[in-house]
Amino acid sequence: MTLFEYLHYIILPVLVVSAVLILWRFIKGPSIADKIVSLDLLITTGIGVIAVYSVIYNQSTLMDTALILALIAFLSTVALSYYLEKRKRK
Amino acid sequence: MIDIIIGALATFGALFVLFAAIGLVRMPDTYLRISVTTKAATLGVGLVLMSTTVYFSNADVTSQAFVIILFLLLTAPVSAHLIGRASYFIGVKLWDKSVMDELRGKYQKNTHILKSIVDDTPEDNVDHTKMDDK
């Protein structure tokens, strides 16, 4: 088994299974804070998937997308928690 | 040899991401879920990015991956603290088997200021036992 087969048939399914579990928490989540946390974790898992794909396809340019996704995850979490906190402050 | 190092790093990274996902599903409380998210997932994605630096062994990719890892390590605690604070204010319940709530009666409801002691004006404080709405 070469490295690419290992990444393609072992590592990527593990990441996809974890993404499905996180998505289940996003759909189920009792409070809105759970949904925000699971969205953040879903984007972080997406960074890992992009890194594995950049190794499989030998394209280092895909790491740019991972950097942008990391920025967007932090920004969305900060903005959503800011407005969530502001909603109660009257 | 290089392939074994890449495979080991990617394996540990994917395992830590999987542990974070299982913890996010299995933990009983929002605050415990936030704790799982900010530790295990950051470590897992950092290890996967380290495997890409070993594979390419190139100054561009290495610097870019280290920038992403540094950014994740810096922003994960900040966002976890922000969302935990917001969920405490909007009245997300703690786990019913939690032994104590250190913040009870110390956050001001209107000004959102954290005090160090519980004073004698309990009507201004955030108290989860008296809070019924989500």
Side-chain angles (χ1 to χ4, degrees):
Chain A
M1 179 181 269
T2 61
L3 174 69
F4 299 105
E5 284 175 355
Y6 178 69
L7 289 178
H8 212 278
Y9 292 117
I10 309 283
I11 299 293
L12 274 181
V14 168
L15 288 174
V16 168
V17 164
S18 54
V20 169
L21 289 176
I22 296 164
L23 189 68
W24 189 65
R25 174 55 74 190
F26 175 73
I27 293 167
K28 186 168 170 273
S31 68
I32 193 168
D34 286 319
K35 301 199 176 200
I36 297 171
V37 168
S38 58
L39 200 65
D40 189 12
L41 193 55
L42 200 62
I43 299 176
T44 311
T45 312
I47 294 171
V49 172
I50 287 171
V52 174
Y53 262 119
S54 76
V55 172
I56 289 174
Y57 290 117
N58 199 5
Q59 296 278 331
S60 65
T61 329
L62 287 173
M63 301 289 278
D64 293 336
T65 321
L67 184 57
I68 301 296
L69 272 185
L71 279 166
I72 287 174
F74 175 62
L75 209 63
S76 67
T77 308
V78 169
L80 284 171
S81 61
Y82 174 73
Y83 286 114
L84 199 65
E85 197 177 325
K86 205 175 178 181
R87 192 173 64 174
K88 278 284 179 176
R89 193 192 307 208
K90 285 290 181 290
Chain B
M1 187 62 202
I2 290 290
D3 287 355
I4 294 171
I5 295 173
I6 296 166
L9 282 173
T11 306
F12 281 113
L15 274 182
F16 273 107
V17 173
L18 183 67
F19 292 158
I22 293 172
L24 194 72
V25 172
R26 292 287 297 163
M27 280 287 178
D29 191 2
T30 304
Y31 305 100
L32 294 173
R33 282 176 212 139
I34 292 169
S35 152
V36 166
T37 305
T38 186
K39 292 189 192 86
T42 309
L43 179 61
V45 175
L47 285 175
V48 173
L49 288 168
M50 293 288 280
S51 77
T52 63
T53 68
V54 175
Y55 175 73
F56 288 107
S57 60
N58 183 0
D60 295 341
V61 182
T62 306
S63 60
Q64 205 165 15
F66 271 98
V67 163
I68 299 172
I69 292 171
L70 189 69
F71 190 78
L72 283 177
L73 285 180
L74 283 178
T75 58
V78 175
S79 60
H81 174 254
L82 277 174
I83 191 65
R85 189 168 181 268
S87 60
Y88 195 83
F89 275 120
I90 64 171
V92 174
K93 291 277 187 294
L94 271 72
W95 189 25
D96 52 357
K97 291 193 182 69
S98 297
V99 283
M100 67 185 301
D101 182 8
E102 290 266 10
L103 290 175
R104 172 182 292 170
K106 290 178 181 171
Y107 262 126
Q108 299 296 101
K109 199 182 294 176
N110 297 316
T111 58
H112 285 202
I113 291 172
L114 177 65
K115 294 185 300 181
S116 60
I117 52 168
V118 180
D119 59 357
D120 51 354
T121 58
E123 66 273 7
D124 290 334
N125 294 330
V126 175
D127 196 348
H128 277 193
T129 58
K130 300 191 188 71
M131 198 178 276
D132 50 0
D133 54 346
K134 268 290 168 72

